[in-house]
Amino acid sequence: ARALTRSAPKVQAALQGLTTELARREAILSSMTEAVLAVDARLRVSFCNDAFVRLAAHPVAEGVPLIHVFRDPGLFQLLKQVVDSGETLRRRLNVSAQEDRWFDAYACPLAGPEARGVLAILRDVTPVERLERAQRDFVANVSHEFRTPLATITGYAETLLNSDPPDEANRRRFLEIIQANSARLTHIAADLIT
C-alpha cells in the first residue's frame, strides 16, 4: 500500500505529461495547412486534421473506411502501395473531388501493434501546377506564332535563291512578303519583351 501511495504521484505526473504532449501534437496537426491523414492497414481512417476534412468536404469519423469519405483512386493506390510495400512514397495527385486540384502527396508507413498503417501528408500545389500549365501553353503558343512567319520567310527566300530569277513583279512581291513576316516577328518579339 505504501509503495502504491508513493508511486501514485509519479504515475499522475507521467499521465499529465502524456496528456499535455498529446494535446500539443493534436494542436500542431490540426493547425497545419497541409492535409494530414492516418489510416490503418485496411485503409480505415485513424486520424485526420481539419485541412483533410475541408478537402473531403464533409465530417470524417475515426474507423470509417476511407472510400466512404474520400473517393480518389490516386490516393487509394498510393496508400495501398505503402501498406503493401512498407516503403515511403511521394507522388503528385490530381484530386478532382470539388475542382481540379493538385497535391504533392507524401506517404510513409506507420508501425502499429497489429498491422502497418500509413501516414499521408497532402500539400496543395494547385497554384504551382496552374502556373506550370500556363507556362507550357505560353511556350507552345509562342513557338507556333514564331514558326508561321519563319516558315513563310524560309519558303520565299529558298524560292528566290533556288529557282530561276523571277520577273520583277514576282520578285518584288516575294520580298514584300518576306519583309512583312520579318516585321511580324519583330512585333512578336517586342510583345514578348513587354
Side-chain angles (χ1 to χ4, degrees), residues 62-104:
E62 187 176 327
V64 173
L66 185 58
I67 193 143
H68 293 169
V69 230
F70 195 77
R71 297 179 186 267
D72 182 69
L75 181 60
F76 282 102
Q77 291 169 356
L78 176 66
L79 297 177
K80 184 69 174 145
Q81 192 173 356
V82 172
V83 166
D84 294 341
S85 70
E87 296 176 6
T88 298
L89 298 174
R90 291 178 186 265
R91 196 171 292 156
R92 185 163 282 189
L93 301 175
N94 182 2
V95 176
S96 55
Q98 300 161 328
E99 58 185 58
D100 192 29
R101 294 177 65 187
W102 290 87
F103 292 88
D104 275 344

Side-chain angles (χ1 to χ4, degrees), residues 25-43:
R25 289 184 184 178
E26 286 285 331
I28 290 168
L29 289 172
S30 294
S31 66
M32 288 178 63
T33 56
E34 290 87 6
V36 179
L37 168 70
V39 294
D40 63 14
R42 292 173 42 199
L43 300 183

